[in-house]
Amino acid sequence: MERPRAAPLARHCLRAVEAALGAVVATILAVLLAVVLSTVVLRYAFNTGVLGSEDLGIWLHVALIAFGAPLAVNSVLAMRLDVIAKRLPAQLQTAAAVVADIFTVLAGLILSFGGTEIMSMLGGISPTLGLPEWIRFGFLGIGGALILLVLVLQRLSEEKGLAVLAAVIVGVLFYLAATRVTFQVALPPSLVLGLIAAFGLLVAAPLPHAFLAAAYLAIAFGSTLPEPAIVSSTVTGMSKFLLLAIPFFLLAGGLLTASGVANHLVRFASSLVGHRRAGLAQTTLLTSVLFSGASGSSVANAAFGASTFQPELVKRGYPPPQAGAIIAATSVLDNVIPPSVAFLILAAATNLSVGSLLVGGFFAGGVMAVCLAVAIHLTVREQVPQPRASGLERRQSAIAAIPAFGLGVIVVVGIRMGIVTTTEAAALAAFYTLLLGLGARLRFGPLFATFRQAATEASAIGLLIGTAGPFAFLLAVDDVSGLISSLTTILGGSALAVLLLSNVILLAVGLVLDIGAAILLFGPILLPSAVAAGIDPIHFGVIVVVNLMIHGLTPPLGMLVFVVSGVTRVPATALFRAVIPYLVALLASLAIICAWALIV
């Protein structure tokens, strides 16, 4: 299996599979967009609708996740915590990579066979679509098989045939043993699941795969979730119409960048603050604020800022680590200032009002932006100041940026005034940016690449949301929320005690959990205690998101730092050091937002 001739063949097959899957997910996203847009048009233009359009959208979303998940296996979207694994000696790195692949093998087997078992058990026809209900679960079964295929092809292309063979064999043995062997332990199943998942993270297994494999292995330690229930819980977690807004917002942000409209935001921001002290850094910050109203994705903003601002910042005398740190820190705002993917995830997990959360995000984002502006002013002395823009230049840049501002108006006004649902607003935003792209003569190649990228990113987020479902279920069974309530009672049960305990918990879990996973798992757990203490649930939800978004800058995960590092080639360790002043500023903004929650 290790023969050199196998590697080129595997690479060729892998490229073919990934190209086919890319075409499939891009097509599904386009169809999904058409379905949601058609419901809006029919409702407002003809005062009618299509029966089953919402269910069709949900089924297509599950299919998008199933066929897009394999594309994330070999990318940064796999959400691997590889900082620790990379520091191991070479032999231990090889062993850790095999163990990480075992988690992926287990995840693929669980989705494949668990999905197949549900298909054989489940009867009935969807009353709105007229299709067998098992089809929705069958999508993930196919997705699991494709994950295994992509993993094997990737390792063969890297000439690691023996390693992947060992991972498959051990993975199959663990899969067979988990339901046949029982261990008596005093630990609750949710804690066992968390420990197994944590081990998976340490060896750099993809986070969704670690969750799924841990939920299955926990059966041997007394978990009440059998394999079909694990897959069913996963599908149920991703089968929410609200979650369709995520791929649409990601698509809108991608199209805004691909069409060049985002560059108008840069010029407008530069005309306003470029002449001030640290003008280019302040321009980076203001651009991030403006881009936040269109993108909703901090990762997208970090990649855009790293490619747009980093070279110019360095040219003007900024040390490369400091330039990258400013870009990473300002990118935090994208998931706080509306529209925000993080708020969508929180709303799906807690049933809080999306519109109210978005309004709260404006206030929180403003506080964070001011704190960052002060930190930049105090830490940067730009060597080459920019000339002050004339009144005419400001007006021209403002007019050119109007199309980008229109996107934020569609989203926020549409949702807040109840004209459209969150998902419909996101679809309108995506369609609007698509028109902007076509107006800018965006060719088919970049257009297709944008659809493919948005679909792949959305599938990675969707799989994470789904696989966090079994973990959340066991946390509820083990009454972790009750434990939190008991702790707050011991501390006095006051709003201050709840806020202090909640922030400490979130600051701790955010160090080792992906932001989305932390929101899904701990948002529903902490919210009841906050409400019982008299804290406004919307304000508390904003605090949860702000707290966890700060972890985009903290090791060992620090997703935003790693995105900037990947684009700029500045070592992540240097960026983590350089980002400290801006991290302190964001923590100060968190303290202000918490203090405001106590006052009001």
Side-chain angles (χ1 to χ4, degrees), residues 51-78:
L51 182 65
S53 59
E54 185 170 317
D55 285 340
L56 178 59
I58 290 172
W59 285 38
L60 287 171
H61 184 235
V62 174
L64 177 73
I65 295 170
F67 290 103
L71 292 172
V73 171
N74 301 316
S75 71
V76 294
L77 296 172

Side-chain angles (χ1 to χ4, degrees), residues 224-400:
T224 56
L225 273 179
E227 182 182 26
I230 292 172
V231 178
S232 177
S233 177
T234 300
V235 175
T236 301
M238 60 181 68
S239 296
K240 297 178 181 178
F241 190 67
L242 173 64
L243 297 178
L244 273 63
I246 294 176
F248 295 149
F249 280 139
L250 294 173
L251 178 61
L255 289 171
L256 201 69
T257 302
S259 64
V261 176
N263 292 325
H264 296 311
L265 292 176
V266 176
R267 286 192 286 272
F268 176 60
S270 179
S271 71
L272 294 179
V273 299
H275 60 281
R276 299 179 181 275
R277 176 178 172 178
L280 190 55
Q282 299 289 7
T283 298
T284 304
L285 171 60
L286 185 55
T287 300
S288 186
V289 171
L290 299 175
F291 197 69
S292 299
S295 167
S297 168
S298 289
V299 171
N301 192 14
F304 171 75
S307 58
T308 303
F309 287 108
Q310 176 80 6
E312 191 63 27
L313 285 166
V314 173
K315 187 186 300 181
R316 290 177 180 268
Y318 290 72
Q322 185 184 46
I326 291 170
I327 292 167
T330 57
S331 298
V332 169
L333 299 175
D334 275 68
N335 257 327
V336 177
I337 298 176
S340 164
V341 172
F343 281 137
L344 292 176
I345 295 174
L346 179 64
T350 60
N351 293 319
L352 291 175
S353 166
V354 176
S356 299
L357 285 171
L358 296 183
V359 172
F362 277 119
F363 167 74
V367 173
M368 297 168 75
V370 170
C371 290
L372 282 174
V374 172
I376 290 173
H377 181 81
L378 295 176
T379 58
V380 172
R381 184 172 297 279
E382 194 166 330
Q383 301 300 317
V384 185
Q386 299 180 79
R388 179 187 292 270
S390 65
L392 176 61
E393 289 172 332
R394 290 183 179 180
R395 286 192 297 272
Q396 290 176 337
S397 63
I399 293 172

